[in-house]
Amino acid sequence: MVEVALGTALAAIGAGLAVGFAGLGSGLGQGIAAAGSVGAVAEDEDMFARGIIFTALPETQAIYGFLIAILLMVFTIMANKALPASLGLVAIGAGAAIGFAGLGSGMGQGITASSSVGAVVENEDMFARGIIFTALPETQAIYGFLIAILLMVFGGILG
Amino acid sequence: MVEDITSLVTGLGFPSIEAFLAVMLLVIAVFGAIVVISLLRPVLGMFPYTYPNARVRARIGRIFDEKQFQEIIEAGNIEEVKNYLRGFPDYAKYIDQYPLEKALDTQLAENYDLVARITPDNSKDAFRFLLKKWDIRNIKSIIIAKEAGLNSKETLDLVVPYGDLTDKLDALVDADDINEILNTLEGTEYAPILEDAIPLYQETGILLPLEASLDKYLLKNLLRTVSTPEDDNTSYLKTYVGNMVDGANLKIILRAKVDGLKYEDIEPYMISEGYQIREWKLKDLMESEDVAGVISGLEGTEYAPLLAEAMANYNDTGSISAFEIALDNNVVETAKKISLKNQFGIGPMIGFLSRKEKEIKNLKIIVRSKREKGFTPAMIKEMLI
């Protein structure tokens, strides 16, 4: 059995938190947006492209989580060095930051996207405003992403 | 530093750093689970409505606005109205298939059918039951048509091909008299209602008891489908249906008071499980001497101010249509409020059906006005609801 240092194991949990929770939020959000888009396309075929745009927006949270998880894995688990427990905790902090921020942001964005799809299919002129409203919940994911990067840089993982 | 952390951890009673980390991870896991579950509950409640609401909102976007109604009102004749409607796929498919009014009703029925098909399970029973309004409308039309001596072709022009009776419609339309209609409906839920109501109709020639019996069956059972709300959505649905029930009860009472009917004359047609106006209150209202007595008896309910406003109109004209319009508008307003309050649930569907009903009613007003001579666009606009 391969011996894994405690810090490395903690970093693995951090990577899992990052991609797991961010992916959960993104998946739920995208599911809600997609369900709304399918309904809109069923009524108006011209809504396909716009439906895809709104459905794609909650994807970003999963990308942020995925990126943080990859960085954590590359600089900790795949670096083939025994990581101290303190760095492992930093990794958990980074993973939790983007994970939870991505969860809330993804779900919020999905609900807004679905609502925007409804608004656009009702009135085409709502497209630009719908995109702006849907983009707003992105900020929470960006905060989480930035904090995760800063934690990794100043916590010594990316240093 | 490491020693400091170790002493802090052991000072807290943990035998080692690993044990402390294990507890910490457990706390994070529990916290994460609580966050996920608390977030998931409202989202999962919203999820089943996203697809139907998008479809319904697409149709809300196609409801005619004021400018479009103005264009229809200004049409020179029925043919121009038809040509205008042919420009809209929702109407175009029925315009050349059916007479104009049947085409409009069929378009409305299609929307009821769509909502009943796509609505989530917890509200499906109510919307499916609501489809029976087309059965009831068809039965009434066929009975009136047969009594008026219309032939099968003319009767067929009056029925809408939606509801549970679509497979019996041909036989009903071909029926020679009311007895044959009753035979055809044998085994359906409508047979016992008609068996009781038709003799009275044939005896008096008054359609009201027949209509009221069928309407009572629909609304009473519709209210039953929403009697135990499971969540906010079904609770809003109950409010909407409840307002329809109260409105129907009040219309019957007011009409009866104008006609000088007594308690025992109208009691059989009342839906005793009213919504805001419960059984005891209904009894009081039915026992009122006149229309003014009914209005004052409603004091303390939300119906008092809106009917008091219509009272002035009634005093001027002697027609109860002002009350009927006020009660219909109250249902429309209720639907509008629900659609604004509950945008991620059942609200858009209730709001849509209510707005679509209004659109069709207005189109029918325009069509009838165009058939008659002497109605100017300004007069037609005045008549719209």
Side-chain angles (χ1 to χ4, degrees):
Chain A
M1 193 179 144
V2 180
E3 197 68 31
V4 179
L6 177 63
T8 309
L10 292 175
I13 293 172
L17 280 176
V19 76
F21 282 104
L24 177 64
S26 175
L28 282 169
Q30 213 160 41
I32 294 168
S37 298
V38 169
V41 174
E43 287 297 318
D44 179 359
E45 285 181 10
D46 294 342
M47 275 299 296
F48 182 71
R50 281 169 287 182
I52 287 282
I53 292 170
F54 281 111
T55 307
L57 284 174
E59 180 73 32
T60 49
Q61 289 77 8
I63 295 172
Y64 299 152
F66 181 65
L67 273 175
I68 295 297
I70 291 284
L71 287 173
L72 283 174
M73 286 170 66
V74 168
F75 288 94
T76 59
I77 303 157
M78 292 153 81
N80 282 330
K81 58 181 181 187
L83 207 68
S86 55
L87 277 189
L89 288 174
V90 171
I92 287 184
I98 186 57
F100 286 114
L103 174 65
S105 168
M107 285 165 66
Q109 200 162 51
I111 294 166
T112 321
S114 176
S115 191
S116 297
V117 166
V120 174
V121 75
E122 194 177 326
N123 175 8
E124 285 190 354
D125 297 341
M126 281 299 294
F127 180 68
R129 280 168 282 181
I131 288 282
I132 292 168
F133 279 115
T134 308
L136 287 179
E138 185 74 21
T139 47
Q140 286 75 17
I142 294 171
Y143 299 154
F145 184 67
L146 278 177
I147 294 301
I149 294 284
L150 290 174
L151 277 173
M152 287 194 293
V153 170
F154 293 103
I157 294 174
L158 295 182
Chain B
M1 174 76 177
V2 174
E3 287 79 19
D4 288 347
I5 293 172
T6 311
S7 60
L8 185 67
V9 166
T10 48
L12 287 170
F14 291 98
S16 64
I17 289 275
E18 284 80 359
F20 171 71
L21 288 174
V23 170
M24 205 181 71
L25 286 174
L26 197 67
V27 170
I28 290 175
V30 170
F31 174 71
I34 292 169
V35 168
V36 169
I37 291 166
S38 59
L39 281 175
L40 277 182
R41 284 183 66 188
V43 170
L44 290 180
M46 247 175 244
F47 193 77
Y49 287 92
T50 50
Y51 172 81
N53 280 348
R55 290 200 68 174
V56 154
R57 290 186 69 177
R59 291 184 181 222
I60 290 173
R62 300 202 290 265
I63 287 177
F64 291 143
D65 58 24
E66 211 171 313
K67 184 172 163 277
Q68 289 169 309
F69 265 114
Q70 189 58 39
E71 287 167 355
I72 304 171
I73 288 170
E74 282 165 8
N77 52 43
I78 288 279
E79 209 45 51
E80 279 184 32
V81 174
K82 277 188 182 179
N83 283 339
Y84 188 91
L85 293 176
R86 279 191 189 101
F88 299 89
D90 288 349
Y91 289 104
K93 58 187 167 189
Y94 299 122
I95 292 294
D96 293 319
Q97 201 181 341
Y98 301 128
L100 190 48
E101 277 167 294
K102 177 172 174 173
L104 295 175
D105 280 331
T106 307
Q107 214 286 320
L108 178 61
E110 180 208 292
N111 285 298
Y112 271 90
D113 186 63
L114 174 86
V115 171
R117 280 189 286 112
I118 63 176
T119 194
D121 286 345
N122 63 352
S123 50
K124 209 175 247 318
D125 283 351
F127 284 115
R128 282 213 60 80
F129 202 88
L130 198 52
L131 274 180
K132 290 186 193 293
K133 75 181 260 171
W134 300 104
D135 288 337
I136 285 168
R137 186 195 171 285
N138 286 338
I139 292 170
K140 284 183 201 171
S141 299
I142 293 168
I143 290 174
I144 295 167
K146 293 300 158 195
E147 285 295 282
L150 300 186
N151 62 32
S152 299
K153 164 82 178 63
E154 290 164 326
T155 309
L156 186 63
D157 286 347
L158 299 173
V159 299
V160 174
Y162 279 92
D164 291 343
L165 292 178
T166 42
D167 56 332
K168 289 185 188 289
L169 277 183
D170 285 342
L172 287 169
V173 163
D174 290 336
D176 288 326
D177 53 33
I178 288 188
N179 288 333
E180 213 172 306
I181 293 173
L182 269 177
N183 287 340
T184 310
L185 288 173
E186 203 58 58
T188 70
E189 63 221 281
Y190 307 109
I193 306 165
L194 292 176
E195 274 161 15
D196 291 341
I198 279 181
L200 189 62
Y201 167 60
Q202 286 176 319
E203 190 185 310
T204 61
I206 303 170
L207 196 65
L208 178 66
L210 179 69
E211 284 187 321
S213 304
L214 288 165
D215 290 342
K216 179 182 175 177
Y217 171 76
L218 175 74
L219 289 174
K220 189 178 172 181
N221 289 291
L222 188 59
L223 191 61
R224 211 161 272 172
T225 61
V226 293
S227 58
T228 44
E230 294 166 17
D231 54 18
D232 276 358
N233 293 304
T234 37
S235 181
Y236 281 123
L237 192 56
K238 186 179 179 182
T239 305
Y240 178 60
V241 172
N243 268 276
M244 286 162 67
V245 168
D246 282 348
N249 276 341
L250 286 174
K251 279 183 197 173
I252 292 175
I253 294 174
L254 288 165
R255 220 186 291 176
K257 292 301 146 193
V258 171
D259 293 342
L261 299 177
K262 297 266 177 295
Y263 171 85
E264 50 277 11
D265 298 323
I266 48 174
E267 196 273 332
Y269 309 112
M270 302 306 294
I271 302 154
S272 54
E273 305 91 336
Y275 178 58
Q276 281 191 58
I277 308 170
R278 313 298 290 188
E279 197 169 0
W280 62 271
K281 189 74 181 168
L282 283 173
K283 193 167 177 284
D284 279 356
L285 295 174
M286 282 188 280
E287 284 170 346
S288 300
E289 282 299 311
D290 51 19
V291 172
V294 175
I295 306 299
S296 61
L298 285 168
E299 211 58 56
T301 70
E302 71 170 58
Y303 301 102
L306 58 110
L307 291 181
E309 242 179 79
M311 188 71 186
N313 196 312
Y314 169 72
N315 287 335
D316 289 344
T317 62
S319 159
I320 60 156
S321 64
F323 294 124
E324 292 180 336
I325 291 169
L327 289 166
D328 287 343
N329 284 345
N330 182 52
V331 176
V332 172
E333 274 306 307
T334 304
K336 194 174 169 187
K337 277 183 205 157
I338 292 171
S339 70
L340 292 173
K341 269 194 219 164
N342 186 243
Q343 292 189 23
F344 297 110
I346 206 161
M349 280 187 277
I350 292 175
F352 167 64
L353 288 180
S354 169
R355 286 181 63 184
K356 193 72 198 175
E357 283 265 7
K358 191 177 168 185
E359 181 189 61
I360 298 294
K361 274 183 192 166
N362 281 334
L363 284 172
K364 283 162 111 178
I365 289 171
I366 296 171
V367 168
R368 281 171 199 157
S369 309
K370 294 288 169 193
R371 282 218 180 93
E372 305 290 326
K373 283 200 173 13
F375 283 100
T376 62
M379 287 161 77
I380 298 173
K381 199 171 179 187
E382 195 66 32
M383 287 191 290
L384 298 188
I385 52 172

